[in-house]
Amino acid sequence: MSYTTCFKFAALFALLAVLLGAFGAHGLRDTLDAGHLATFETGVRYQFYHAIGLFIIGFLITLKQGEKWLRYASYLLIAGILLFSGSLYLLACNQIADIPSWIGPITPLGGLCFMSGWGCVFISQMRVKGDFE
C-alpha cells in the first residue's frame, strides 16, 4: 500500500468515526440502552485510534524504511477496523435490528488484526538501522 492510499483510508475512517460518534451520541442515545451505547462508543473509539495509526503508518512509509512490514500493518489495521469496530456497531444495534449471532465471534478476530498490525509496525522499525546498533 502506498502512503497516499494509507492516508486516504486514514482520512475516510477518521471521518466515519466522527460521523458514527455523532450518530451514536445523538441518534441512538434514546434508542439503545446504556450497555449497547457503550459498545457502540467502543467501536467508534477503536476506529478513531486506528485511523490515527494509519496516518502514522503512512508517514513511516514515506521514510522508505521497513515498507513491506508497514504495508502488512496497514492492511491489518484496515481489516481490524472493519472486523472489530464493524462487529461492535452491529452488536450494539442488535437491540433495534435482528443481527445474526455469528457476528459476535468476529470481534476478537478484529482485535487480533489490530495486535498483528502493531506487531508489524514494531518489526518494521526493528529492521531499521538506528542509533542503538
Side-chain angles (χ1 to χ4, degrees), residues 53 56-57 60 65-74 76-77 113-129 132-133:
I56 292 168
I57 291 168
L60 289 172
Q65 298 173 332
E67 281 184 89
K68 176 177 80 170
W69 289 99
L70 293 169
R71 282 194 308 274
Y72 296 155
S74 63
L76 285 163
L77 290 193
C113 287
F114 285 151
M115 290 183 271
S116 300
W118 288 114
C120 288
V121 173
F122 176 75
I123 291 169
S124 78
Q125 298 311 293
M126 290 301 292
R127 298 176 62 85
V128 173
K129 302 271 189 263
F132 299 109
E133 292 186 16

Side-chain angles (χ1 to χ4, degrees), residues 12-25 28 32 35-51 78 80-100 103-104 106-107 114:
L12 175 64
F13 283 129
L15 168 67
L16 291 174
V18 173
L19 289 171
L20 288 167
F23 175 67
L28 296 176
L32 299 180
H36 285 89
L37 197 55
T39 298
F40 193 89
E41 290 171 354
T42 299
V44 170
R45 189 171 52 252
Y46 274 77
Q47 180 173 330
F48 216 137
Y49 292 159
H50 291 88
I78 289 168
I81 289 170
L82 295 173
L83 294 173
F84 184 87
S85 294
S87 66
L88 287 182
Y89 299 143
L90 291 173
L91 290 170
C93 292
N94 193 31
Q95 189 175 348
I96 57 175
D98 187 26
I99 305 299
I103 295 293
I106 291 176
T107 308
F114 285 151

